Amino acid sequence: MQPERVSELSDLLTRARSARAGKGNTVLVRSVSGMRCSTFLGEVAERVRRLGSMVLSTSCSPSDAQSQLGVVRQLVAAALEVANRDRATEDEEFLHGVLEGAGPFDHRLFEALREVFARGARRQPLVVVVDHIQWMDETSLRWFGYLVRHLNNLPVLLVLAYRTDETAVDRKLTDDISKRDQCFTLTLSPLSSHSVREVVEAAYSGQGCDDEFVQVCAETSRGRPSRLDKLLASLTADFVPPRASQIEQIRRCGARIEAEAAADRLLRQPVHLREVAEVATVLGEEGDCAVIADMLNLYGDAISGLIAELTPVGIFRETGAPGRYRFSSAELRSLIHRDMSADARRSLHMRTARRLNDLGAPLAQVAEHLLQADMSDDAWACSVLKEAADDALKTGDPKTCAKYARRVLRDRIPDEERAEVLWLLGRAEALFAPAAADRHLDEAVRLFSDPALQAGAIVERAHARVLRQGSAESALRPSRTVLAHVDHKAFAELGDSELRLSVQSLTHTVPSEGRAAALEALGGPTLSINLGVTPGERELLASIAGDLACRSEPCDVPLELVHRALAGERPSGSASMVLLLRCITILTWAGHLREAQRWADHMLTGALATDALFPRVIALCQRAKIAVRMGDLPVALAEAEQALALTTEHHEVKSCRAVAVTEVARARGAIGHYEGAVGLLQGLHDLPASTLGVRGMFRLHLGDLRGALADLMECGHRLEALGIVNPALSDWRSLAARAWKQLGNDKEARELAEAEVELARRWGDLAVTGRSLRSLGEVSSGAAAERAFAESVALLEQTDARLQLALSLVAAGQAHGRNGSLAQARRALHRGMLLAEESGARSLTTEARKSLLAAGGRLRRTPASGVPALTPTEHRVAMHAARGRTNRSIADLLHITPRTVEVHLTRVYGKLSIPGRTALADALGVNCAGSGNKRVKS
């Protein structure tokens, strides 16, 4: 027995001895659930029995509250048996009538009952132990109050115990007993920290328990023995070690046990109190008591009193605001909701929805209740959910919209109404499950009888199909399957200008005559300046810009159109995602990488805010592609692998897997893992055209010339069939030229390389042109090759394409070495090697180092660790972090993404052999005093 109980037991035994001496008295034992009061009372009964006292004991139950004098009858029956051993009582017949439930329950009865106990006590000292008197019926409780006042000169100890966190039949009567001079109140105290440690160490025998672990066990169980045992049983069953690191696990487990105990206590409460808790459970974790009152037809302060009764029980907690309720925990609310019958739950949710609607509650709040109600053939409920779904979609919450729409579709509704709900569902799903959106919109198209609504569903389905494929080719050049039933001429007759513009954005192409024709397609020079006011016009601008980019028309016009498309109000939903994908692609092709990166970040932020997986995958792939072009390969690989993980974990984005795999392969191949990159792409089916170009590039690096040519020429064939000739998407021509060169077909190689240079010059992006010129140099020889390499380097130096510049420098250095210009070779190779190393292109770094050594260059040993091992970018990022800047502020300062900062810092920690950010200042020798920036852990 714990020391706390020894002391309390000693106090009770002292009272028992006093009672044996004829000084009758009462002990009122107060405790809370989990203190093992019943065990304690059993120990008391056993000890006083050993002292020679007769013990009468019983325990009340919730049902006793409805049985008048029920508890007293149990005790009187036992007392009469003892008394009759001596002689019969003159009131025996009267008392037996009481035992059978006959009245009257008056003063005479109370005196007769007391006499029964008095005669028994005169024969042998008597101890009466009654547990759980909070459930004792009122008449019995009044008699015990009478008995407490008439124990003088009787060898009787009366022990009454009750739980303060249970609802009492009449708390006032219990309080009256406690105030009597003859009554001593004993409150069972919780276990001390020392006792808790003993219990914990016994449960974890021989393992050694951390002080923090023991302390949190004590706090979580509140020193209640029963709760502590349950907590330790759960922790040991889950093999949770007694370590300080497990504190959160202890708290979660303790919260669950506390919630389960409170839910059990609620089941023992009167029906009217359970009704209050159940209505509150349906209404929410916290809310207005007036709504509960309204639901239960209560008035005045009645509801506040009921809430107050349930607070000590542990169902509610104090809110500090009058007229408000709040559950003790979300888990408790969930348990109460679970314990309700399914029919009662559905009925109560429907009642709540209607009442909240009458009270003018927000539409979403009403809809949440309808989701859990029985809506069969209820037109009102269906209309509310449809309206709520439409509102959710308009406010940028597609998943909630889909949730409401699916609930409506579970019931039988007319076809036209079903088509409208399917349209809503499809528009929402296009942002996170385009495959499902395609199916639902297809059904909506078949059910709609209104041509305008049918046309809108067809266009929405086309947008969903574009996103489902997730590639730049699909966005810029939708295929026939994507555009099925999108008939521009038929839709033009509907008179909906925005719908007509959306259709144009999907089907419109710019005549090949170039800029003048493009402006003409916009409606003439005057209209073209003003076009872009409405969302539909912005869709069309992005479409025309994409068409011009695919044709490799000069990039200044597409860029102007992209900037106008992104300005002002854009279309909502899937149309906006298609517009963003088009614009980011064109900005990337045109070398506006920082701007493209910002819009990709914008797409990702929006996707995370709405939990939309498809835009998230697409944005990550775009960020990876941009990072490769900027020569930041570790970041590119991290972004691409994150996208690939999403397509693996979530079935709804599986259709984007090929795009994600392509970006992972692109990043790995650029690093130098050619075999791994080809292996990733080898098992995929229905590869996008540009993906074939990526696989062909790495096959070429591995020396598989025939396989590379097959992929590259098929890539070119597919892209040309789509009308995409811009080398910014794929450099299949220059790669095929290198393959033909190695196979000995110099003429074909030269023609393909020159064709790509011409298209690149026409497009006008310096990075694309520099890359094409490098390929031309590689298939040329002599002065022509040197001129091509020199121009390539000169152009790439003006761009952010760090990796492409490294490639051109290494190629130029190798050419100089072959021509005998060793000094020039060494300069180019050394610079190319440093850029390749900073980009993370390991294979290129190795190649440059070997060529540099062959050209007579000397290599300074590159440190593997420490500050000298940091690249310039890593050093800049580390210095800013050491001075207290957050990842976000560093990203804004250096015009990179927070994810890029995170990747750089991870590499810095490894090279400096430090655990994290807090050790940066010391490792770099940075004095942060007076910097004015407080360090913030990111």
Side-chain angles (χ1 to χ4, degrees):
M1 182 177 290
Q2 280 85 20
E4 297 81 8
R5 296 295 171 267
V6 171
S7 173
E8 291 155 357
L9 181 60
S10 176
D11 288 343
L12 263 173
L13 293 178
T14 300
R15 297 279 169 178
R17 292 188 186 95
S18 176
R20 284 175 60 83
K23 297 179 180 179
N25 56 79
T26 303
V27 177
L28 190 62
V29 181
R30 301 170 73 252
S31 70
V32 291
S33 301
M35 294 295 289
R36 288 192 175 146
C37 182
S38 298
T39 304
F40 174 72
L41 294 177
E43 184 67 24
V44 170
E46 180 61 28
R47 293 292 183 93
V48 295
R49 196 176 279 116
R50 290 178 198 167
L51 292 174
S53 296
M54 180 178 63
V55 179
L56 300 178
S57 65
T58 189
S59 179
C60 304
S61 66
S63 60
D64 288 330
Q66 309 302 322
S67 176
Q68 198 168 26
L69 270 184
V71 176
V72 174
R73 285 193 198 107
Q74 299 174 40
L75 294 172
V76 167
L80 279 175
E81 183 179 349
V82 173
N84 285 341
R85 290 174 188 169
D86 251 352
R87 58 186 177 81
T89 66
E90 58 185 53
D91 290 330
E92 180 178 346
E93 183 177 347
F94 171 71
L95 289 172
H96 278 296
V98 171
L99 294 178
E100 293 171 3
F105 303 108
D106 54 14
H107 181 77
R108 179 190 171 201
L109 170 63
F110 280 17
E111 180 57 32
L113 291 173
R114 189 197 73 84
E115 186 58 30
V116 170
F117 286 94
R119 279 197 294 270
R122 293 187 190 106
R123 181 177 180 277
Q124 183 179 5
L126 180 63
V127 176
V128 179
V129 180
V130 185
D131 196 9
H132 290 298
I133 67 168
Q134 72 272 6
W135 294 323
M136 187 183 289
D137 66 279
E138 184 179 342
T139 307
S140 292
L141 196 55
R142 288 185 183 280
W143 179 77
F144 274 106
Y146 172 84
L147 184 60
V148 169
R149 298 194 300 273
H150 296 82
L151 288 178
N152 294 337
N153 303 318
L154 287 177
V156 176
L157 173 65
L158 182 59
V159 181
L160 304 175
Y162 74 98
R163 309 296 184 272
T164 58
D165 56 354
E166 297 278 6
T167 301
V169 169
D170 192 330
R171 184 78 72 186
K172 185 176 182 298
L173 291 175
T174 307
D175 292 341
D176 287 345
I177 292 174
S178 68
K179 293 173 184 176
R180 295 293 172 185
D181 293 338
Q182 304 89 340
C183 183
F184 167 72
T185 300
L186 173 65
T187 302
L188 296 188
S189 57
L191 299 179
S192 66
S193 57
H194 176 74
S195 297
V196 170
R197 174 169 285 280
E198 288 183 346
V199 175
V200 174
E201 288 179 343
Y204 286 97
S205 179
Q207 296 189 42
C209 303
D210 290 354
D211 290 341
E212 294 89 340
F213 184 91
V214 175
Q215 181 182 349
V216 175
C217 284
E219 292 171 358
T220 303
S221 65
R222 302 182 190 177
R224 302 180 188 184
S226 179
R227 296 281 171 80
L228 181 59
D229 286 350
K230 285 183 180 180
L231 176 65
L232 293 172
S234 179
L235 294 174
T236 53
D238 292 338
F239 302 101
V240 177
R243 300 290 168 258
S245 59
Q246 304 299 318
I247 284 175
E248 287 307 314
Q249 176 104 356
I250 301 170
R251 286 178 176 147
R252 284 194 298 270
C253 183
R256 174 176 52 78
I257 292 172
E258 181 71 29
E260 289 171 351
D264 287 342
R265 285 197 297 275
L266 180 64
L267 295 176
R268 298 192 291 267
Q269 304 310 306
V271 173
H272 67 284
L273 289 180
R274 292 204 302 272
E275 285 181 345
V276 170
E278 288 173 353
V279 171
T281 297
V282 169
L283 286 172
E285 190 173 342
E286 61 178 300
D288 191 344
C289 295
V291 181
I292 303 177
D294 187 78
M295 292 281 294
L296 296 175
N297 295 318
L298 298 173
Y299 300 95
D301 296 331
I303 187 62
S304 298
L306 297 176
I307 295 292
E309 285 189 61
L310 285 169
T311 298
V313 178
I315 305 303
F316 299 117
R317 57 178 169 171
E318 297 291 343
T319 63
R324 302 285 297 178
Y325 74 86
R326 178 183 294 173
F327 277 94
S328 294
S329 69
E331 190 163 10
L332 170 60
R333 180 195 168 215
S334 177
L335 288 173
I336 297 171
H337 195 266
R338 180 203 65 187
D339 289 341
M340 296 167 62
S341 71
D343 288 340
R345 232 182 357 247
R346 287 193 291 268
S347 174
L348 192 51
H349 276 293
M350 178 58 82
R351 282 175 53 205
T352 303
R354 288 188 177 277
R355 198 68 197 107
L356 289 174
N357 186 68
D358 293 342
L359 294 171
L363 190 61
Q365 190 177 351
V366 177
E368 286 298 322
H369 289 288
L370 291 176
L371 287 176
Q372 302 176 71
D374 185 359
M375 289 173 35
S376 301
D377 301 321
D378 195 318
W380 171 80
C382 288
S383 66
V384 169
L385 276 180
K386 277 172 55 184
E387 188 180 352
D390 191 44
D391 278 2
L393 188 61
K394 288 176 180 175
T395 55
D397 191 356
K399 288 205 167 181
T400 298
C401 170
K403 180 173 64 174
Y404 295 156
R406 289 194 193 104
R407 179 63 188 88
V408 176
L409 292 171
R410 275 166 48 189
D411 296 316
R412 295 179 62 86
I413 54 178
D415 283 353
E416 195 69 22
E417 188 175 348
R418 182 176 181 83
E420 292 177 9
V421 178
L422 284 166
W423 186 28
L424 262 177
L425 176 58
R427 288 160 61 197
E429 287 178 328
L431 295 174
F432 61 88
D438 193 353
R439 294 194 307 272
H440 292 133
L441 289 167
D442 190 63
E443 185 181 353
V445 169
R446 286 185 277 106
L447 291 177
F448 270 131
S449 58
D450 186 332
L453 294 175
Q454 188 180 57
I458 289 172
V459 172
E460 195 68 42
R461 183 182 61 186
H463 286 141
R465 288 177 174 178
V466 168
L467 290 177
R468 184 179 180 182
Q469 296 183 22
S471 65
E473 298 101 289
S474 172
L476 296 171
R477 287 283 191 259
S479 63
R480 290 182 180 179
T481 55
V482 169
L483 298 178
H485 308 296
V486 181
D487 186 343
H488 174 61
K489 292 182 180 179
F491 289 0
E493 298 174 0
L494 296 175
D496 187 332
S497 59
E498 285 295 293
L499 180 63
R500 187 173 66 252
L501 289 168
S502 291
V503 172
Q504 274 187 289
S505 75
L506 287 167
T507 61
H508 185 80
T509 57
V510 180
S512 57
E513 285 78 2
R515 181 195 301 247
L519 292 176
E520 184 64 29
L522 286 167
T526 304
L527 184 58
S528 68
I529 296 172
N530 299 322
L531 189 64
V533 174
T534 69
E537 289 173 349
R538 297 187 193 285
E539 283 186 73
L540 183 57
L541 288 174
S543 173
I544 294 171
D547 186 73
L548 290 171
C550 288
R551 295 175 183 274
S552 207
E553 298 292 343
C555 66
D556 55 343
V557 173
L559 283 173
E560 179 192 347
L561 298 180
V562 162
H563 291 140
R564 286 164 57 183
L566 291 172
E569 182 187 359
R570 293 191 303 279
S572 60
S574 58
S576 180
M577 295 307 305
V578 172
L579 181 146
L580 272 177
L581 179 55
R582 286 171 168 172
C583 292
I584 291 169
T585 299
I586 296 166
L587 289 168
T588 303
W589 288 6
H592 289 222
L593 301 180
R594 303 288 182 188
E595 187 177 0
Q597 192 177 57
R598 286 196 297 273
W599 283 107
D601 290 349
H602 172 79
M603 181 189 288
L604 182 60
T605 301
L608 291 172
T610 58
D611 196 22
L613 283 175
F614 252 85
R616 187 175 168 189
V617 171
I618 292 172
L620 286 168
C621 288
Q622 291 298 315
R623 282 159 54 118
K625 190 179 298 184
I626 294 165
V628 168
R629 290 186 181 240
M630 294 177 74
D632 206 339
L633 301 184
V635 170
L637 184 59
E639 301 278 14
E641 286 180 338
Q642 189 179 347
L644 182 58
L646 289 174
T647 65
T648 304
E649 295 165 7
H650 302 280
H651 179 74
E652 58 265 40
V653 288
K654 193 174 181 180
S655 62
C656 261
R657 183 172 176 79
V659 176
V661 169
T662 299
E663 297 312 320
V664 172
R666 192 195 307 272
R668 288 186 182 177
I671 290 170
H673 302 157
Y674 304 129
E675 290 184 4
V678 171
L680 271 175
L681 299 173
Q682 202 66 12
L684 294 180
H685 302 287
D686 300 323
L687 292 176
S690 58
T691 302
L692 285 172
V694 173
R695 190 172 69 181
M697 173 172 57
F698 298 132
R699 278 183 164 178
L700 180 61
H701 280 292
L702 290 171
D704 180 10
L705 301 180
R706 295 295 179 184
L709 265 179
D711 280 344
L712 294 168
M713 298 310 290
E714 177 62 19
C715 169
H717 174 73
R718 291 190 190 180
L719 290 179
E720 287 181 342
L722 291 172
I724 304 177
V725 299
N726 196 331
L729 174 61
S730 174
D731 55 344
W732 66 270
R733 294 178 186 82
S734 60
L735 292 169
R738 288 167 55 191
W740 281 121
K741 174 72 174 178
Q742 293 180 54
L743 288 170
N745 192 337
D746 292 356
K747 181 177 180 296
E748 184 70 21
R750 183 82 181 179
E751 287 176 357
L752 283 171
E754 287 176 346
E756 182 166 302
V757 170
E758 182 182 350
L759 288 169
R761 290 190 190 278
R762 190 171 79 183
W763 172 239
D765 175 47
L766 299 181
V768 175
T769 306
R771 184 188 66 190
S772 301
L773 284 166
R774 180 178 68 248
S775 296
L776 178 61
E778 287 171 339
V779 300
S780 304
S781 59
E786 288 192 10
R787 285 196 302 272
F789 286 135
E791 187 179 358
S792 173
V793 170
L795 292 176
L796 287 168
E797 283 178 331
Q798 303 173 52
T799 72
D800 291 324
R802 179 173 51 186
L803 179 59
Q804 291 299 324
L805 176 57
L807 285 163
S808 290
L809 284 166
V810 172
Q814 290 169 340
H816 287 310
R818 288 191 297 269
N819 295 336
S821 305
L822 298 182
Q824 287 180 281
R826 288 194 291 269
R827 285 195 296 271
L829 288 167
H830 184 265
R831 188 173 167 214
M833 181 186 69
L834 293 178
L835 283 172
E837 186 177 29
E838 190 172 344
S839 297
R842 299 172 191 168
S843 180
L844 180 60
T845 303
T846 302
E847 181 185 349
R849 185 177 290 114
K850 289 179 181 178
S851 298
L852 181 57
L853 288 171
R858 293 184 180 181
L859 293 177
R860 284 182 291 182
R861 188 168 184 175
T862 304
S865 62
V867 177
L870 301 179
T871 65
T873 301
E874 289 170 353
H875 193 270
R876 283 197 302 273
V877 170
M879 290 294 287
H880 286 305
R883 292 191 173 103
R885 286 187 178 274
T886 63
N887 286 7
R888 169 61 66 183
S889 65
I890 296 170
D892 293 341
L893 186 68
L894 301 180
H895 303 292
I896 55 179
T897 66
R899 174 63 179 157
T900 304
V901 174
E902 183 181 332
V903 171
H904 283 312
L905 285 175
T906 300
R907 288 155 62 187
V908 167
Y909 300 151
K911 290 181 180 181
L912 299 181
S913 300
I914 58 175
R917 199 182 202 96
T918 54
L920 270 175
D922 292 337
L924 296 172
V926 176
N927 181 9
C928 295
S931 64
N933 289 315
K934 183 180 178 181
R935 292 189 192 176
V936 181
K937 185 176 181 180
S938 295

